[in-house]
Structure formats: structure tokens, C-alpha cells
Amino acid sequence: MPERRTVALVTLGCARNEVDSEELAGRLEADGWQLVEDAEEADVAVVNTCGFVEAAKKDSVDALLEANDLKGHGRTRAVVAVGCMAERYGKELAEALPEADGVLGFDDYSDISDRLQTILNGGIHAAHTPRDRRKLLPISPAERQESAAEVALPGHGPAEPVVAPADLPEGLAPASGPRAPLRRRLDGSPVASVKLASGCDRRCSFCAIPSFRGSFISRRPSDVLNETRWLAEQGVKEIMLVSENNTSYGKDLGDIRLLESLLPELADVDGIERVRVSYLQPAEMRPGLIDVLTSTPKVAPYFDLSFQHSAPGVLRAMRRFGDTDRFLELLDTIRSKAPDAGVRSNFIVGFPGESEADVAELERFLTGARLDAIGVFGYSDEEGTEAATYDDKLDEDIVTERLAHISRLAEELVSQRAEDRVGQSVRVLVESVDEDGVYGRAEHQAPETDGQVLLTSGAGVRVGRMVEAKVVGTEGVDLVAEPLQGSLASPGWSEEAGR
């Protein structure tokens, strides 16, 4: 019997990339590849790159170079770049980084096995010439679904039914019915992301994502539901809905309020204990969506709102909408329905034309917003964006100074917000149990970005359990919580129920 081909996937960037990696893993395993965790044990190391900002692009290049260093020292014979950076730069990346044996775009995903085999055999698959993927679908959202079959949409599944081999490995299945890609989970986490849509129709002046991710297109509700059911069968307890803009979900399916009806259905899936929605646009928030997010059992009252700034002049230059007072009114509306709702956001400082008064306005918003988590980034030009052409750029020293100042303020504010939660009861999804303790996350904490909860006790607790606890302390943005009496032993949270 021939030796089985081995492949390792290294994923950088956001949760959307994680979903794409699991699609690639599913396709490869279904075609006979053996998945391994360590690149040094793989014939081919596939690096799923991020192309969003300079720091992420540098991390992607470093990961490719690190994988390349394994060649000649272990099993690794080829290194291949996929993902956003590969899609965005194509031939340019291949020429600038000869250490990569292949640079594959989204159009290559459906044939990923053949592409890797060609490269492994010493052949060459020419890197693509990048194109504006916004032009691949009709301008009118209502006309996009009919054209979607002709466009590669990672995470959406092929247009034709997937005929799965009869001898699929255990744990590998069509994740979302007949239109779904094969998906293979790459870790044992009780949390998994589910792609709700792809692309973005917004034209923020600082963002290049729509050009290489394309126009906004929703997945069908049945696909999202079937994938969630499959994930629940794999032991997943929390799903996080991801896309470039979840508030637009359904607009190309004829119902902009489709998310409001889908969320209760997802929450009713057997085995799912929590549904979380990420990536919400403040300008597109609507009363009905707020109501569903704050009142539906098992749907986390969690608001990942993309504010970016609060000074009106800066927001207009960003091609965005809103101001400090309107944003605070939105938060007041949310908290009037769910006082303990979790809210996080990201902000850009040092944007071209930003004044000291604009920074003060941002400080006013941050101080009044009581956010649970804050990400702060210093502005830098992204090629191909409108903002890169602006004349009123700030000196790098000023951007660095403002970044440090707002970051310090943000750290103080999120620590204060964590302290506000002392004495509250929280539902903690346990994610790790080891010699360092029992750690998990409450409803207001998304994976990777928003801190975690340390349980003061947890004998017999296993990963995937949902535990009721009382917050008794803080460590910066993190919480320390004591399990409530009986919460570990009650029928609702038994060892069997946690499986």
C-alpha cells in the first residue's frame, strides 16, 4: 500500500480564515491526504495567510519562511500559501517570496488536492493574477444568488451536490447538506465558527477587504442550520457566526431581517448551548435584531460593533456614519433591554486629517461607552484604498503617540468594566482544564479577543461544560469566578449533559 500523503494547515488571521482552513482540510482528507498538526511532520505545509494590515501580512510571510526552513530537516517537501494574502497579491507574492512553492487563490480551493499533488511532484502551478472580486457578482444583491455558482466562495460550498466517498474518515462529513464543502475540525474546542456570508458591500476608505473577498453574498439558512447540526454532533457547544458584515445577512435573499428568524432556529439545535454573532455594523443595527440578540434563550447578548471612531469628521473621511451621541444612544438602547450585554469594538487612531479635537471626541465616547473589550490600531496606508490617496496624512510619530495614549485609556476602561461585573452571575463555557486551572468564557467574551474567566474550583469539570458561577474578582480584563453551589452537580450540568 502506498504511503499516505500528509499535509498540515497553519492558519493566521480571523475566524473566517479558520472556517476556510477546515474546508480545505475536509477536501484534502476526503481525497486521501492525512492531516497532521505539525508542519515538520507534513509533506506539504499549507499556510492560510491574512492580508488585512501590514502586521498581519508580516506574520503571514514569517510563517511561510518558518515552514520553508523545515525543508531538508524533516518530512516537509513543499510550502504553499493560500488565503487572503495569496488571493490579494498572487503572482506578486510568488515573485517576492520564492520560498513558497505555490501561491493558490480562492479559485484553486475546489481543486486543492490536485494542486498540492502537482506541487509535491515538482510541478508548477502558476500563481493567479489578482482581480477585483467585487466585479465577479452583479451589482444588485437580489441578482447575486443565481450567479454564485460561477464564483469561488470559500466556506459556501460548491454549486453541485457533494458526493462524499463511502469510506469517509470518522468525523468528516458534508457540513451543510448538498451545497456544502466537506469540513474537518482541526481542534477539539467546544467552540466553532460558522460562516454566515462572504464579502462586503461597504466602501470604507481604509479597507481593502472587499476587493479580494468580493461583494456581499449570504449563505442559505438551511446550509447554516445543517452545518450547525453537524458541528453539534462533533461536540461543539457554542457557534460563532462570522462574516465581513453580519448585519447585512439576507439582503441578497430577499429578507434583510433573515438573521432575526435564523437565530432562534440555531439556538434550538440539539447540543448547542450558545450562539454568538460577531461583526455587526452600527449603522445597520435595527430594533428587531437588538430584540432577538437580547431576549432569545441561548443567544448571547453580545454586540461586536464596528465603531472605528466617533468623531463625525473622521467617520465621514472613513466613508462611515454616526457620531459619539448616536453611538451612545445605541448602547443605551441595548442595555435598556440587557443591562449586562457584552460590547466590544475596534478603533483606528491617527487617520488622515484627525485633529486633537477628534481624539478628545473619541475619548469622550470611550469613557461613556463602558465597552468590555477595545482594540486600538494606528492608521497605516493600505494599497488600493481611497485613504491611501489622502493628502492630510499625520506624521508617524503623532500616530504612534496617539496609539499609545488611546491604548492606555482603553486598558484602564476595560479593566474598570470588568470590575463592574464583580458580584454578577455568569454562565461559563469551560474551554481548558489543566494544571494552571479551569478556564472558560462568559456570554460577553468571544474567543481570542475579549478575555476569559478563571474558575476558583472545578473538580471533575471537563471541557465543554457550561457552569453557573459568581464573579468574585478580576485580573485586568479577565474575571475570576466561583461556581455556584450545585452548578457542577445538578442534572442540567452533569458530566453526561456536558458531552
Side-chain angles (χ1 to χ4, degrees), residues 132-148 151 200-203 214-217 251-252:
D132 188 341
R133 297 190 73 87
R134 290 172 293 190
K135 299 178 181 179
L136 301 183
L137 290 170
I139 293 176
S140 169
E143 299 175 3
R144 290 178 189 165
Q145 290 290 330
E146 293 182 4
S147 303
V151 179
C200 186
D201 288 342
R202 301 183 71 88
R203 294 295 179 261
S215 298
F216 184 90
I217 186 163
K251 72 176 185 179
D252 52 320

Side-chain angles (χ1 to χ4, degrees), residues 295-439:
S295 65
T296 307
K298 295 188 179 180
V299 173
Y302 175 81
F303 294 81
D304 177 7
L305 293 163
S306 177
F307 289 120
Q308 301 298 346
H309 212 285
S310 72
V314 176
L315 287 169
R316 301 304 174 268
M318 290 179 170
R319 304 294 182 201
R320 297 179 64 83
F321 305 95
D323 55 46
T324 296
D325 292 331
R326 273 190 277 183
F327 289 164
L328 290 176
E329 287 174 7
L330 172 60
L331 295 178
D332 286 344
T333 298
I334 291 169
R335 288 174 175 141
S336 69
K337 299 175 182 297
D340 298 328
V343 186
R344 80 165 325 275
S345 191
N346 294 323
F347 299 88
I348 297 173
V349 296
F351 195 80
E354 181 189 63
S355 66
E356 291 288 353
D358 293 329
V359 176
E361 186 69 1
L362 177 58
E363 290 182 44
R364 182 169 79 89
F365 172 69
L366 291 174
T367 302
R370 297 169 55 234
L371 303 177
D372 292 280
I374 301 172
V376 188
F377 302 88
Y379 173 82
S380 63
D381 284 339
E382 273 294 305
E383 58 186 290
T385 63
E386 180 184 356
T389 68
Y390 289 176
D391 294 328
D392 47 354
K393 305 282 178 57
L394 302 182
D395 290 342
E396 187 175 335
D397 289 347
I398 294 177
V399 176
T400 300
E401 179 184 341
R402 290 180 181 178
L403 174 61
H405 172 66
I406 295 298
S407 295
R408 285 193 298 270
L409 175 62
E411 186 174 350
E412 294 174 4
L413 292 172
V414 296
S415 294
Q416 291 173 11
R417 179 61 177 152
E419 291 172 2
D420 290 342
R421 294 189 179 276
V422 173
Q424 293 181 2
S425 294
V426 291
R427 293 185 72 212
V428 180
L429 176 61
V430 177
E431 293 186 342
S432 69
V433 179
D434 52 36
E435 62 274 8
D436 295 326
V438 177
Y439 288 89

Side-chain angles (χ1 to χ4, degrees), residues 27-80:
R27 290 181 181 275
L28 289 166
E29 190 165 38
D31 202 45
W33 291 77
Q34 179 181 354
L35 298 170
V36 296
E37 291 187 11
D38 297 327
E40 61 184 341
E41 298 175 3
D43 295 315
V44 184
V46 177
V47 180
N48 192 348
T49 61
C50 179
F52 181 37
V53 294
E54 286 304 317
K57 286 183 278 190
K58 181 181 183 303
D59 289 343
S60 295
V61 170
D62 289 346
L64 287 163
L65 293 175
E66 183 178 342
N68 181 70
D69 289 341
L70 297 174
K71 289 191 289 189
H73 300 286
R75 179 167 181 150
T76 309
R77 294 156 53 197
V79 176
V80 175

Side-chain angles (χ1 to χ4, degrees), residues 251-280:
K251 72 176 185 179
D252 52 320
L253 294 172
D255 185 0
I256 190 60
R257 295 175 176 79
L258 198 55
L259 184 56
E260 285 93 310
S261 59
L262 177 61
L263 284 171
E265 293 185 74
L266 293 171
D268 282 342
V269 171
D270 287 344
I272 295 299
E273 294 289 343
R274 180 183 291 161
V275 178
R276 184 183 304 277
V277 183
S278 61
Y279 306 116
L280 301 169

